[in-house]
Amino acid sequence: MKARNPYTGEFDYEFTPTSPSELEAICGRLREAQPCWEKAGIAGRAETLREFGSAVARHRDALIESLVQDTGRYGISVREANLEPVIEREIAAALKFAREETVRETELPDVINKRQLASYALVGNITPWNFPCSMAFLDTIPALIAGCAVVVKPSEVTPRFIDVVERILRDVPELANALAFVRGDGALGAELISQVDYVCFTGSVATGRKVYRAAAERFIPASLELGGKDPLVVLQGADPVKAAASAVVGSCIASGQICTALERIYVAEDLYDEFVEAAVSCARRVEINYPDIRKGFIGPFILEGQAGTVKRHIEDAVSKGAEAQTGGEILDHGGKWCLPTVLTNVDHSMRVMLEESFGPLLPIMPFASIEEAVRLANDSEYGLTASVFAGDSGEGEEVARALDAGGVSVNRAGITLMVRGIEQDAFKASGMGKNRMGREGIRRFARSKAIMTYAGEDDEIAPGLAAQVFTGC
């Protein structure tokens, strides 16, 4: 298979995909080693993961360079290669979880229950192209600390970083026994589901449906994080200039190629003109990272086809009466870029207000009442995150409670992206399965087993128990 460099537009990398027989052998090896990994306990697994973090630090320059070539971005690649804080966060969560009460009395006299958390032996993690390294480890590290072995299949669009990760794993053989990366496209992902006991998937709604059906056929659990069409609601009492600046950042972060980016904006009528003016002013100051990859806020489209999607959304909106106040074109410098595009005169007949764009678009629509704003914001098949700007936090929180989204940021866009330890369930088609954040992020990788022991001196429990069981017979 060949991979395209999104910055140059050239197909400059080749790799051999993992065959089904190789995948089966890898999964078999991980299954064989998993009991030893689980038996090491949280403390032992934490020590090994910290060794992995140190190895990442030794190879960081190479990892950054591979991510730059995979994504066409420098600053974000530097942050993606900083895995040590993620490791420490998950270790701390696991240690806190381990201290919770595991021995409990029951409603029956002299019966004590001890909880055992039995790890799933093998977790399959199918990850996307927009944050190849971060997403590869977001579910993998909590699964590992929970005692599971993990096989990761990153996107075939961004495969270069796998080479460096495998070199890092050779420095930590204890972890290499419990973690493996494979290479391939959707066909390999489908095959992976047939080999594992739990599947994590991050990607599109269409593929997510296929993953969930395949997991259901095998009676294995699945955690899915899918698309988003995240709204921003700017209420009457908000500061329109501050809200506009936050909106531009929230829409353009990672060039809009992130499921929690702002994709549609609703502004109180009295603030609309001032908000649009401020948004246009901010958007015009944003630059692409060409010709200097270390400068500029907007990187290229990682997936070339995504540029076509964004172009179609702009053209559809303009054909129906929208006006592009900034941007509006796809720039071709080998790779493809799009400057922040502020769209006015938009409505819900336009694809840009309904379908996931995954690009730096800011369609802005006025509303006359809070009820209308909530109705418009909830008029979507998605429900991942949302944002509200208000004059006071009480009003902002009231509207936030009415929005169909798993996480809502109030008076600053993107808070839900920065806070990783709080549970956020995806609403509607934006996800399915147990939450990947907070306590649940680790807990989902282990089944709860109840071991109930009778601690009495005689069989006095038996008559009472029999009476409960056979009542009415």
Side-chain angles (χ1 to χ4, degrees), residues 35-154:
C36 183
W37 175 250
E38 184 176 10
K39 193 174 293 184
I42 292 176
R45 296 192 292 271
E47 181 180 352
T48 300
L49 284 168
R50 286 183 172 125
E51 290 178 13
F52 176 70
S54 298
V56 169
R58 294 194 297 272
H59 293 265
R60 199 181 319 276
D61 289 346
L63 183 57
I64 291 170
E65 179 57 29
S66 68
L67 290 168
V68 168
Q69 293 175 16
D70 271 334
T71 66
R73 309 178 301 211
Y74 180 77
I76 292 176
S77 296
V78 171
R79 292 192 289 276
E80 278 204 78
N82 187 25
L83 289 173
E84 296 95 309
V86 181
I87 292 171
E88 290 301 327
R89 182 185 71 216
E90 297 301 337
I91 289 173
L95 292 172
K96 181 179 179 180
F97 182 64
R99 289 194 294 269
E100 294 184 3
E101 183 183 11
T102 60
V103 179
R104 298 178 182 174
E105 294 181 354
T106 71
E107 66 270 22
L108 296 178
D110 298 323
V111 173
I112 299 296
N113 176 64
K114 292 184 178 181
R115 182 188 66 187
Q116 176 193 355
L117 293 178
S119 306
Y120 288 96
L122 184 58
V123 171
N125 189 11
I126 303 172
T127 63
W129 47 260
N130 57 337
F131 289 88
C133 187
S134 296
M135 299 307 299
F137 286 99
L138 184 60
D139 291 316
T140 294
I141 291 175
L144 288 167
I145 197 68
C148 310
V150 183
V151 56
V152 185
K153 192 212 82 67

Side-chain angles (χ1 to χ4, degrees), residues 130-305:
N130 57 337
F131 289 88
C133 187
S134 296
M135 299 307 299
F137 286 99
L138 184 60
D139 291 316
T140 294
I141 291 175
L144 288 167
I145 197 68
C148 310
V150 183
V151 56
V152 185
K153 192 212 82 67
S155 170
E156 71 278 14
V157 176
T158 51
R160 298 166 182 83
F161 83 103
I162 304 173
D163 297 339
V164 183
V165 171
E166 288 182 333
R167 291 204 298 271
I168 296 170
L169 283 172
R170 286 196 286 271
D171 289 356
V172 192
E174 294 86 356
L175 185 59
N177 289 333
L179 172 63
F181 280 68
V182 295
R183 298 168 174 82
D185 57 14
L188 185 68
E191 183 65 27
L192 177 61
I193 298 171
S194 71
Q195 300 283 335
V196 299
D197 306 304
Y198 190 119
V199 61
C200 299
F201 172 80
T202 305
S204 71
V205 173
T207 305
R209 287 194 172 100
K210 296 177 183 178
V211 170
Y212 204 72
R213 281 195 291 265
E217 285 289 335
R218 296 196 57 239
F219 284 93
I220 64 171
S223 296
L224 312 179
E225 183 174 285
L226 309 176
K229 190 68 180 175
D230 296 5
L232 164 64
V233 176
V234 183
L235 300 175
Q236 179 68 47
D239 182 328
V241 175
K242 289 183 178 179
S246 190
V248 171
V249 174
S251 298
C252 297
I253 188 170
S255 310
Q257 297 173 107
I258 180 171
C259 52
T260 54
L262 294 177
E263 292 221 357
R264 50 202 173 101
I265 302 168
Y266 306 97
V267 183
E269 285 179 340
D270 291 346
L271 301 182
Y272 181 79
D273 290 341
E274 189 175 358
F275 180 94
V276 170
E277 182 181 357
V280 168
S281 177
C282 289
R284 284 176 175 163
R285 294 198 295 270
V286 178
E287 299 178 346
I288 64 173
N289 68 345
Y290 182 88
D292 187 343
I293 199 170
R294 297 195 181 206
K295 296 181 180 179
F297 192 65
I298 298 287
F301 288 102
I302 298 172
L303 182 66
E304 185 176 18

